[in-house]
Amino acid sequence: MSESTSTVSAAAQAPKKGGGRRKLSLPVILLIIAGGLLLFSLVRVISGANDLTSVGQVAGALQLAVPIGLAGLGGLWSERAGVVNIGLEGMLILGTFFGAWAGYQWGPWTGVLLGIAGGALGGLLHAIITVTFNVNHIVSGVAITILATGLTRYLANFTFAEAEGGSSKQSPRIDAIDRITVPGLSDGLADLQAKHWFFVSDLAGVLGGLVTGLSLLTVVALLLIPATWWILWRTAFGLRLRSCGENPIAAESLGVNVYKYKYIAVVVSGGLAGLGGAFLAIVSTGIYQEGQTGGRGYIGLAAMIFGNWMPGGMALGAGLFGFTDSLKLRGGAENVHAMLLLLAILLILMTVWQLYKKKYVSATVATVVAVGLFIWYAFTEALPSQFVDAAPYVTTLLVLALSAQRLRMPKADGMPYKKGQGK
């Protein structure tokens, strides 16, 4: 690489000081996953909520996590280039509408392509407003979400209302995308999970959920996570794009066309969100419904922040929110009630860690909350339906509150930039 590219590389690197997270090695990540599964197994045995790690629960969580993860991946592309994309919710909405509109007429894969295009158009509009005209990124994102909501509601009256099986609020049924089930392995893991053995059945449930009824579009979405990592962190293109989010003035001085890379990033961001919307309409429900995104664009942003603007961490965050959302659909109050015990145990572990770090105030707060959760769990059989419905959003708030102090966004994220600013 040339000297200028090396300098761009230096501009794009996160500083070692200032709250960045340490990189976790693969063995450490596997140990964390194994520890988490052990904890889930313990909670399942104590609470009797055997559906907590079942094949259906894991498969459902994966399906619910995909739209959130695609929105978060879109936010990662945009913000790594320095553009905050609050409009992801609107781009999801555009993806659901255009995906369903094309899907019921010309087939699901055509719907996927049109959904991506609809989201990308929203991204292009966001790029024009923020990059070219330097409008505040938050204002632009909110405006795009409002515009997408109104536009799709208006267009639905002319497209779906007159179609057979449709109405002004929902589309006709869309043909399903093929699903993959590994013969033999899927049934064997399901049988093993049904025995409810400690840890072994839980592991079988997790693996079974990954090989049972897996949509081809889910496979595509999962592959986009390592693809994003490779493009942004292992190519010269990704290096230049990230430099625009860290120090656009320095990047421009080295010959990087900052506007071009910001435009590319935001359009890709919108396309990924549009794909998430198309997945929601075509795979998750099979129809377009007004308001079906349910704030998943904002939850995707929360997953991205939780993941410290990295694809792997974002995927873990999306999985957490998808799992919580799946809990209320399968077993409802019983499963979410078991999560009270899980949270209490986690807080006890956090108390031990805070005492080790000599942070006595944090340890005291964690202990008080843990005791409260233990009491709540012990003296109730189920949770109110209102709390069950709010569980994914409560999880979002808790995760952001607990992780916010250790995050580091790209240095120039959301900052206005004009061509030639450094001259």
Side-chain angles (χ1 to χ4, degrees):
M1 295 173 67
S2 65
E3 181 180 350
S4 63
T5 306
S6 299
T7 310
V8 172
S9 177
Q13 298 302 314
K16 294 182 180 180
K17 298 179 181 180
R21 287 181 177 174
R22 295 178 180 177
K23 292 184 178 179
L24 298 177
S25 62
L26 181 59
V28 173
I29 292 175
L30 291 177
L31 282 173
I32 292 173
I33 294 173
L37 192 57
L38 275 170
L39 187 57
F40 267 100
S41 186
L42 177 64
V43 170
R44 177 183 63 79
V45 170
I46 295 173
S47 65
N50 289 322
D51 198 45
L52 206 59
T53 54
S54 67
V55 171
Q57 165 67 27
V58 174
L62 181 60
Q63 181 168 296
L64 290 167
V66 168
I68 295 171
L70 287 170
L73 205 60
L76 188 148
W77 271 82
S78 181
E79 299 209 9
R80 278 292 174 179
V83 180
V84 175
N85 194 354
I86 296 293
L88 288 168
E89 177 73 8
M91 297 166 200
L92 269 177
I93 293 171
L94 291 172
T96 59
F97 176 83
F98 286 105
W101 174 70
Y104 88 88
Q105 298 181 88
W106 303 302
W109 288 108
T110 304
V112 168
L113 294 177
L114 263 292
I116 294 172
L121 284 174
L124 177 62
L125 178 60
H126 188 50
I128 292 171
I129 295 171
T130 57
V131 179
T132 301
F133 294 103
N134 257 325
V135 174
N136 181 277
H137 299 188
I138 306 298
V139 172
S140 172
V142 171
I144 286 173
T145 299
I146 295 172
L147 176 63
T149 303
L151 179 64
T152 54
R153 187 174 299 172
Y154 175 76
L155 291 176
N157 287 317
F158 298 95
T159 52
F160 302 142
E162 299 178 358
E164 184 179 355
S167 70
S168 62
K169 295 185 181 297
Q170 80 174 43
S171 71
R173 178 65 56 177
I174 307 165
D175 291 338
I177 291 177
D178 292 339
R179 293 179 178 270
I180 303 171
T181 296
V182 180
L185 181 60
S186 175
D187 293 336
L189 290 171
D191 291 341
L192 188 57
Q193 180 264 316
K195 296 182 183 299
H196 305 311
W197 292 339
F198 180 77
F199 188 76
V200 176
S201 292
D202 300 284
L203 180 60
V206 171
L207 295 177
L210 300 177
V211 296
T212 304
L214 198 64
S215 169
L216 289 176
L217 193 55
T218 301
V219 177
V220 172
L222 292 175
L223 291 175
L224 286 173
I225 297 170
T228 291
W229 173 83
W230 184 81
I231 292 170
L232 293 185
W233 275 270
R234 288 294 181 269
T235 67
F237 167 83
L239 178 63
R240 296 187 183 100
L241 186 147
R242 288 185 295 117
S243 72
C244 297
E246 294 290 342
N247 194 333
I249 296 175
E252 184 188 20
S253 69
L254 297 171
V256 176
N257 188 334
V258 177
Y259 276 16
K260 181 182 80 171
Y261 282 93
K262 285 180 178 286
Y263 261 85
I264 291 172
V266 181
V267 171
V268 171
S269 173
L272 288 168
L275 177 59
F279 183 96
L280 196 59
I282 297 171
V283 177
S284 296
T285 61
I287 55 173
Y288 162 85
Q289 290 178 308
E290 186 178 302
Q292 72 186 127
T293 56
R296 286 175 175 82
Y298 302 117
I299 298 177
L301 272 179
M304 178 204 66
I305 295 170
F306 166 79
N308 208 18
W309 288 263
M310 294 292 291
M314 183 283 305
L316 287 175
L320 171 64
F321 300 134
F323 181 81
T324 310
D325 207 7
S326 181
L327 283 177
K328 74 174 185 180
L329 298 178
R330 296 181 56 89
E334 180 186 7
N335 284 340
V336 179
H337 183 251
M339 292 299 290
L340 291 179
L341 180 59
L342 177 66
L343 287 173
I345 296 173
L346 285 173
L347 285 170
I348 292 298
L349 295 176
M350 182 183 294
T351 298
V352 175
W353 176 252
Q354 295 294 345
L355 288 174
Y356 171 75
K357 301 287 286 186
K358 297 182 179 180
K359 296 181 179 180
Y360 300 113
V361 175
S362 300
T364 302
V365 172
T367 302
V368 171
V369 177
V371 170
L373 289 174
F374 273 123
I375 293 173
W376 191 1
Y377 173 79
F379 288 93
T380 57
E381 295 293 332
L383 296 178
S385 59
Q386 295 87 345
F387 186 86
V388 173
D389 292 337
Y393 307 101
V394 174
T395 302
T396 303
L397 293 174
L398 287 174
V399 166
L400 287 178
L402 292 173
S403 63
Q405 295 180 352
R406 302 185 61 200
L407 304 177
R408 196 204 77 86
M409 69 171 66
K411 289 179 66 176
D413 193 17
M415 295 176 61
Y417 166 80
K418 292 183 179 180
K419 189 175 183 181
Q421 186 173 326
K423 295 181 180 179

PDB file of all heavy atoms in Angstrom, residues 331-357:
ATOM      1  N   GLY A 331     -44.969 -19.267  24.378  1.00  0.00           N
ATOM      2  CA  GLY A 331     -44.998 -19.425  25.831  1.00  0.00           C
ATOM      3  C   GLY A 331     -45.314 -18.144  26.564  1.00  0.00           C
ATOM      4  O   GLY A 331     -45.610 -18.158  27.752  1.00  0.00           O
ATOM      5  N   GLY A 332     -45.226 -17.011  25.863  1.00  0.00           N
ATOM      6  CA  GLY A 332     -45.631 -15.724  26.395  1.00  0.00           C
ATOM      7  C   GLY A 332     -45.193 -15.435  27.801  1.00  0.00           C
ATOM      8  O   GLY A 332     -44.011 -15.326  28.114  1.00  0.00           O
ATOM      9  N   ALA A 333     -46.163 -15.323  28.692  1.00  0.00           N
ATOM     10  CA  ALA A 333     -45.923 -14.902  30.071  1.00  0.00           C
ATOM     11  C   ALA A 333     -44.994 -15.861  30.814  1.00  0.00           C
ATOM     12  O   ALA A 333     -44.163 -15.424  31.611  1.00  0.00           O
ATOM     13  CB  ALA A 333     -47.254 -14.783  30.805  1.00  0.00           C
ATOM     14  N   GLU A 334     -45.084 -17.165  30.540  1.00  0.00           N
ATOM     15  CA  GLU A 334     -44.238 -18.137  31.241  1.00  0.00           C
ATOM     16  C   GLU A 334     -42.769 -17.938  30.894  1.00  0.00           C
ATOM     17  O   GLU A 334     -41.899 -17.928  31.768  1.00  0.00           O
ATOM     18  CB  GLU A 334     -44.662 -19.563  30.879  1.00  0.00           C
ATOM     19  CG  GLU A 334     -43.823 -20.637  31.587  1.00  0.00           C
ATOM     20  CD  GLU A 334     -44.142 -22.039  31.117  1.00  0.00           C
ATOM     21  OE1 GLU A 334     -44.923 -22.179  30.144  1.00  0.00           O
ATOM     22  OE2 GLU A 334     -43.604 -22.991  31.708  1.00  0.00           O
ATOM     23  N   ASN A 335     -42.479 -17.763  29.601  1.00  0.00           N
ATOM     24  CA  ASN A 335     -41.090 -17.582  29.181  1.00  0.00           C
ATOM     25  C   ASN A 335     -40.506 -16.273  29.690  1.00  0.00           C
ATOM     26  O   ASN A 335     -39.366 -16.226  30.157  1.00  0.00           O
ATOM     27  CB  ASN A 335     -40.985 -17.641  27.662  1.00  0.00           C
ATOM     28  CG  ASN A 335     -41.092 -19.053  27.133  1.00  0.00           C
ATOM     29  OD1 ASN A 335     -40.890 -20.020  27.865  1.00  0.00           O
ATOM     30  ND2 ASN A 335     -41.435 -19.191  25.865  1.00  0.00           N
ATOM     31  N   VAL A 336     -41.271 -15.189  29.558  1.00  0.00           N
ATOM     32  CA  VAL A 336     -40.776 -13.899  30.028  1.00  0.00           C
ATOM     33  C   VAL A 336     -40.629 -13.902  31.544  1.00  0.00           C
ATOM     34  O   VAL A 336     -39.722 -13.278  32.102  1.00  0.00           O
ATOM     35  CB  VAL A 336     -41.709 -12.762  29.556  1.00  0.00           C
ATOM     36  CG1 VAL A 336     -41.224 -11.410  30.065  1.00  0.00           C
ATOM     37  CG2 VAL A 336     -41.782 -12.731  28.030  1.00  0.00           C
ATOM     38  N   HIS A 337     -41.513 -14.644  32.242  1.00  0.00           N
ATOM     39  CA  HIS A 337     -41.395 -14.779  33.696  1.00  0.00           C
ATOM     40  C   HIS A 337     -40.070 -15.450  34.063  1.00  0.00           C
ATOM     41  O   HIS A 337     -39.389 -15.057  35.020  1.00  0.00           O
ATOM     42  CB  HIS A 337     -42.579 -15.593  34.238  1.00  0.00           C
ATOM     43  CG  HIS A 337     -42.594 -15.730  35.720  1.00  0.00           C
ATOM     44  ND1 HIS A 337     -42.324 -16.931  36.360  1.00  0.00           N
ATOM     45  CD2 HIS A 337     -42.818 -14.821  36.714  1.00  0.00           C
ATOM     46  CE1 HIS A 337     -42.397 -16.761  37.663  1.00  0.00           C
ATOM     47  NE2 HIS A 337     -42.697 -15.495  37.910  1.00  0.00           N
ATOM     48  N   ALA A 338     -39.671 -16.469  33.288  1.00  0.00           N
ATOM     49  CA  ALA A 338     -38.389 -17.136  33.529  1.00  0.00           C
ATOM     50  C   ALA A 338     -37.214 -16.180  33.311  1.00  0.00           C
ATOM     51  O   ALA A 338     -36.162 -16.316  33.960  1.00  0.00           O
ATOM     52  CB  ALA A 338     -38.258 -18.352  32.616  1.00  0.00           C
ATOM     53  N   MET A 339     -37.405 -15.207  32.430  1.00  0.00           N
ATOM     54  CA  MET A 339     -36.326 -14.251  32.168  1.00  0.00           C
ATOM     55  C   MET A 339     -36.046 -13.364  33.376  1.00  0.00           C
ATOM     56  O   MET A 339     -34.944 -12.817  33.513  1.00  0.00           O
ATOM     57  CB  MET A 339     -36.683 -13.392  30.961  1.00  0.00           C
ATOM     58  CG  MET A 339     -36.706 -14.159  29.640  1.00  0.00           C
ATOM     59  SD  MET A 339     -35.115 -14.887  29.215  1.00  0.00           S
ATOM     60  CE  MET A 339     -34.189 -13.406  28.830  1.00  0.00           C
ATOM     61  N   LEU A 340     -37.045 -13.201  34.265  1.00  0.00           N
ATOM     62  CA  LEU A 340     -36.796 -12.453  35.505  1.00  0.00           C
ATOM     63  C   LEU A 340     -35.702 -13.137  36.319  1.00  0.00           C
ATOM     64  O   LEU A 340     -34.815 -12.476  36.870  1.00  0.00           O
ATOM     65  CB  LEU A 340     -38.078 -12.363  36.330  1.00  0.00           C
ATOM     66  CG  LEU A 340     -39.217 -11.503  35.785  1.00  0.00           C
ATOM     67  CD1 LEU A 340     -40.409 -11.569  36.740  1.00  0.00           C
ATOM     68  CD2 LEU A 340     -38.778 -10.061  35.609  1.00  0.00           C
ATOM     69  N   LEU A 341     -35.784 -14.462  36.398  1.00  0.00           N
ATOM     70  CA  LEU A 341     -34.769 -15.212  37.121  1.00  0.00           C
ATOM     71  C   LEU A 341     -33.409 -15.086  36.443  1.00  0.00           C
ATOM     72  O   LEU A 341     -32.378 -14.926  37.109  1.00  0.00           O
ATOM     73  CB  LEU A 341     -35.185 -16.690  37.196  1.00  0.00           C
ATOM     74  CG  LEU A 341     -34.229 -17.636  37.939  1.00  0.00           C
ATOM     75  CD1 LEU A 341     -34.036 -17.198  39.381  1.00  0.00           C
ATOM     76  CD2 LEU A 341     -34.742 -19.072  37.868  1.00  0.00           C
ATOM     77  N   LEU A 342     -33.396 -15.138  35.114  1.00  0.00           N
ATOM     78  CA  LEU A 342     -32.146 -14.991  34.369  1.00  0.00           C
ATOM     79  C   LEU A 342     -31.509 -13.623  34.636  1.00  0.00           C
ATOM     80  O   LEU A 342     -30.306 -13.521  34.904  1.00  0.00           O
ATOM     81  CB  LEU A 342     -32.409 -15.171  32.872  1.00  0.00           C
ATOM     82  CG  LEU A 342     -31.207 -14.969  31.946  1.00  0.00           C
ATOM     83  CD1 LEU A 342     -30.168 -16.055  32.186  1.00  0.00           C
ATOM     84  CD2 LEU A 342     -31.635 -14.950  30.486  1.00  0.00           C
ATOM     85  N   LEU A 343     -32.319 -12.571  34.590  1.00  0.00           N
ATOM     86  CA  LEU A 343     -31.803 -11.218  34.839  1.00  0.00           C
ATOM     87  C   LEU A 343     -31.275 -11.089  36.264  1.00  0.00           C
ATOM     88  O   LEU A 343     -30.238 -10.454  36.498  1.00  0.00           O
ATOM     89  CB  LEU A 343     -32.907 -10.185  34.593  1.00  0.00           C
ATOM     90  CG  LEU A 343     -33.290  -9.929  33.137  1.00  0.00           C
ATOM     91  CD1 LEU A 343     -34.507  -9.000  33.067  1.00  0.00           C
ATOM     92  CD2 LEU A 343     -32.126  -9.319  32.373  1.00  0.00           C
ATOM     93  N   ALA A 344     -31.979 -11.697  37.221  1.00  0.00           N
ATOM     94  CA  ALA A 344     -31.527 -11.628  38.614  1.00  0.00           C
ATOM     95  C   ALA A 344     -30.163 -12.297  38.785  1.00  0.00           C
ATOM     96  O   ALA A 344     -29.271 -11.766  39.463  1.00  0.00           O
ATOM     97  CB  ALA A 344     -32.570 -12.281  39.519  1.00  0.00           C
ATOM     98  N   ILE A 345     -29.979 -13.449  38.151  1.00  0.00           N
ATOM     99  CA  ILE A 345     -28.693 -14.144  38.241  1.00  0.00           C
ATOM    100  C   ILE A 345     -27.592 -13.332  37.570  1.00  0.00           C
ATOM    101  O   ILE A 345     -26.467 -13.220  38.085  1.00  0.00           O
ATOM    102  CB  ILE A 345     -28.801 -15.549  37.609  1.00  0.00           C
ATOM    103  CG1 ILE A 345     -29.781 -16.412  38.406  1.00  0.00           C
ATOM    104  CG2 ILE A 345     -27.438 -16.227  37.555  1.00  0.00           C
ATOM    105  CD1 ILE A 345     -30.079 -17.754  37.764  1.00  0.00           C
ATOM    106  N   LEU A 346     -27.899 -12.744  36.430  1.00  0.00           N
ATOM    107  CA  LEU A 346     -26.913 -11.906  35.741  1.00  0.00           C
ATOM    108  C   LEU A 346     -26.498 -10.712  36.598  1.00  0.00           C
ATOM    109  O   LEU A 346     -25.319 -10.335  36.639  1.00  0.00           O
ATOM    110  CB  LEU A 346     -27.482 -11.419  34.405  1.00  0.00           C
ATOM    111  CG  LEU A 346     -27.556 -12.457  33.273  1.00  0.00           C
ATOM    112  CD1 LEU A 346     -28.287 -11.867  32.071  1.00  0.00           C
ATOM    113  CD2 LEU A 346     -26.155 -12.893  32.856  1.00  0.00           C
ATOM    114  N   LEU A 347     -27.466 -10.125  37.287  1.00  0.00           N
ATOM    115  CA  LEU A 347     -27.151  -8.986  38.146  1.00  0.00           C
ATOM    116  C   LEU A 347     -26.304  -9.401  39.343  1.00  0.00           C
ATOM    117  O   LEU A 347     -25.451  -8.635  39.801  1.00  0.00           O
ATOM    118  CB  LEU A 347     -28.448  -8.318  38.609  1.00  0.00           C
ATOM    119  CG  LEU A 347     -29.163  -7.473  37.549  1.00  0.00           C
ATOM    120  CD1 LEU A 347     -30.540  -7.051  38.024  1.00  0.00           C
ATOM    121  CD2 LEU A 347     -28.327  -6.239  37.193  1.00  0.00           C
ATOM    122  N   ILE A 348     -26.521 -10.600  39.856  1.00  0.00           N
ATOM    123  CA  ILE A 348     -25.659 -11.103  40.936  1.00  0.00           C
ATOM    124  C   ILE A 348     -24.226 -11.258  40.439  1.00  0.00           C
ATOM    125  O   ILE A 348     -23.256 -10.887  41.118  1.00  0.00           O
ATOM    126  CB  ILE A 348     -26.194 -12.442  41.475  1.00  0.00           C
ATOM    127  CG1 ILE A 348     -27.530 -12.217  42.204  1.00  0.00           C
ATOM    128  CG2 ILE A 348     -25.180 -13.086  42.417  1.00  0.00           C
ATOM    129  CD1 ILE A 348     -27.426 -11.313  43.415  1.00  0.00           C
ATOM    130  N   LEU A 349     -24.068 -11.799  39.243  1.00  0.00           N
ATOM    131  CA  LEU A 349     -22.736 -11.926  38.655  1.00  0.00           C
ATOM    132  C   LEU A 349     -22.107 -10.552  38.431  1.00  0.00           C
ATOM    133  O   LEU A 349     -20.903 -10.356  38.649  1.00  0.00           O
ATOM    134  CB  LEU A 349     -22.819 -12.688  37.325  1.00  0.00           C
ATOM    135  CG  LEU A 349     -23.261 -14.153  37.418  1.00  0.00           C
ATOM    136  CD1 LEU A 349     -23.405 -14.758  36.022  1.00  0.00           C
ATOM    137  CD2 LEU A 349     -22.254 -14.965  38.227  1.00  0.00           C
ATOM    138  N   MET A 350     -22.948  -9.595  38.009  1.00  0.00           N
ATOM    139  CA  MET A 350     -22.449  -8.235  37.835  1.00  0.00           C
ATOM    140  C   MET A 350     -22.024  -7.633  39.171  1.00  0.00           C
ATOM    141  O   MET A 350     -21.022  -6.905  39.253  1.00  0.00           O
ATOM    142  CB  MET A 350     -23.529  -7.357  37.185  1.00  0.00           C
ATOM    143  CG  MET A 350     -23.079  -5.919  36.929  1.00  0.00           C
ATOM    144  SD  MET A 350     -24.403  -4.891  36.249  1.00  0.00           S
ATOM    145  CE  MET A 350     -24.605  -5.682  34.655  1.00  0.00           C
ATOM    146  N   THR A 351     -22.753  -7.937  40.227  1.00  0.00           N
ATOM    147  CA  THR A 351     -22.387  -7.446  41.559  1.00  0.00           C
ATOM    148  C   THR A 351     -20.998  -7.941  41.963  1.00  0.00           C
ATOM    149  O   THR A 351     -20.167  -7.176  42.458  1.00  0.00           O
ATOM    150  CB  THR A 351     -23.426  -7.918  42.595  1.00  0.00           C
ATOM    151  OG1 THR A 351     -24.700  -7.364  42.263  1.00  0.00           O
ATOM    152  CG2 THR A 351     -23.039  -7.468  43.997  1.00  0.00           C
ATOM    153  N   VAL A 352     -20.757  -9.232  41.735  1.00  0.00           N
ATOM    154  CA  VAL A 352     -19.436  -9.798  42.060  1.00  0.00           C
ATOM    155  C   VAL A 352     -18.340  -9.094  41.272  1.00  0.00           C
ATOM    156  O   VAL A 352     -17.273  -8.749  41.815  1.00  0.00           O
ATOM    157  CB  VAL A 352     -19.428 -11.315  41.766  1.00  0.00           C
ATOM    158  CG1 VAL A 352     -18.031 -11.894  41.970  1.00  0.00           C
ATOM    159  CG2 VAL A 352     -20.432 -12.036  42.651  1.00  0.00           C
ATOM    160  N   TRP A 353     -18.615  -8.847  39.995  1.00  0.00           N
ATOM    161  CA  TRP A 353     -17.623  -8.169  39.152  1.00  0.00           C
ATOM    162  C   TRP A 353     -17.379  -6.735  39.621  1.00  0.00           C
ATOM    163  O   TRP A 353     -16.236  -6.272  39.677  1.00  0.00           O
ATOM    164  CB  TRP A 353     -18.085  -8.188  37.700  1.00  0.00           C
ATOM    165  CG  TRP A 353     -17.172  -7.426  36.764  1.00  0.00           C
ATOM    166  CD1 TRP A 353     -17.422  -6.240  36.156  1.00  0.00           C
ATOM    167  CD2 TRP A 353     -15.846  -7.805  36.359  1.00  0.00           C
ATOM    168  NE1 TRP A 353     -16.362  -5.848  35.383  1.00  0.00           N
ATOM    169  CE2 TRP A 353     -15.369  -6.805  35.494  1.00  0.00           C
ATOM    170  CE3 TRP A 353     -15.030  -8.894  36.650  1.00  0.00           C
ATOM    171  CZ2 TRP A 353     -14.117  -6.856  34.900  1.00  0.00           C
ATOM    172  CZ3 TRP A 353     -13.772  -8.940  36.059  1.00  0.00           C
ATOM    173  CH2 TRP A 353     -13.327  -7.935  35.211  1.00  0.00           C
ATOM    174  N   GLN A 354     -18.436  -6.029  39.971  1.00  0.00           N
ATOM    175  CA  GLN A 354     -18.291  -4.637  40.423  1.00  0.00           C
ATOM    176  C   GLN A 354     -17.553  -4.577  41.752  1.00  0.00           C
ATOM    177  O   GLN A 354     -16.758  -3.653  41.994  1.00  0.00           O
ATOM    178  CB  GLN A 354     -19.676  -3.985  40.560  1.00  0.00           C
ATOM    179  CG  GLN A 354     -20.448  -3.842  39.258  1.00  0.00           C
ATOM    180  CD  GLN A 354     -19.795  -2.872  38.284  1.00  0.00           C
ATOM    181  OE1 GLN A 354     -18.922  -2.100  38.644  1.00  0.00           O
ATOM    182  NE2 GLN A 354     -20.214  -2.931  37.028  1.00  0.00           N
ATOM    183  N   LEU A 355     -17.785  -5.555  42.630  1.00  0.00           N
ATOM    184  CA  LEU A 355     -17.038  -5.596  43.892  1.00  0.00           C
ATOM    185  C   LEU A 355     -15.555  -5.858  43.628  1.00  0.00           C
ATOM    186  O   LEU A 355     -14.679  -5.286  44.295  1.00  0.00           O
ATOM    187  CB  LEU A 355     -17.609  -6.685  44.799  1.00  0.00           C
ATOM    188  CG  LEU A 355     -18.991  -6.386  45.411  1.00  0.00           C
ATOM    189  CD1 LEU A 355     -19.512  -7.604  46.157  1.00  0.00           C
ATOM    190  CD2 LEU A 355     -18.919  -5.176  46.347  1.00  0.00           C
ATOM    191  N   TYR A 356     -15.271  -6.731  42.662  1.00  0.00           N
ATOM    192  CA  TYR A 356     -13.883  -7.003  42.286  1.00  0.00           C
ATOM    193  C   TYR A 356     -13.209  -5.735  41.762  1.00  0.00           C
ATOM    194  O   TYR A 356     -12.026  -5.482  42.032  1.00  0.00           O
ATOM    195  CB  TYR A 356     -13.843  -8.105  41.241  1.00  0.00           C
ATOM    196  CG  TYR A 356     -12.476  -8.324  40.631  1.00  0.00           C
ATOM    197  CD1 TYR A 356     -11.465  -8.980  41.336  1.00  0.00           C
ATOM    198  CD2 TYR A 356     -12.200  -7.880  39.333  1.00  0.00           C
ATOM    199  CE1 TYR A 356     -10.213  -9.167  40.779  1.00  0.00           C
ATOM    200  CE2 TYR A 356     -10.954  -8.063  38.771  1.00  0.00           C
ATOM    201  CZ  TYR A 356      -9.959  -8.711  39.494  1.00  0.00           C
ATOM    202  OH  TYR A 356      -8.712  -8.894  38.936  1.00  0.00           O
ATOM    203  N   LYS A 357     -13.979  -4.916  41.019  1.00  0.00           N
ATOM    204  CA  LYS A 357     -13.451  -3.654  40.476  1.00  0.00           C
ATOM    205  C   LYS A 357     -13.516  -2.513  41.489  1.00  0.00           C
ATOM    206  O   LYS A 357     -13.158  -1.385  41.180  1.00  0.00           O
ATOM    207  CB  LYS A 357     -14.247  -3.265  39.222  1.00  0.00           C
ATOM    208  CG  LYS A 357     -14.204  -4.296  38.105  1.00  0.00           C
ATOM    209  CD  LYS A 357     -12.872  -4.343  37.396  1.00  0.00           C
ATOM    210  CE  LYS A 357     -12.694  -3.142  36.487  1.00  0.00           C
ATOM    211  NZ  LYS A 357     -11.456  -3.249  35.691  1.00  0.00           N
TER     212      LYS A 357
END
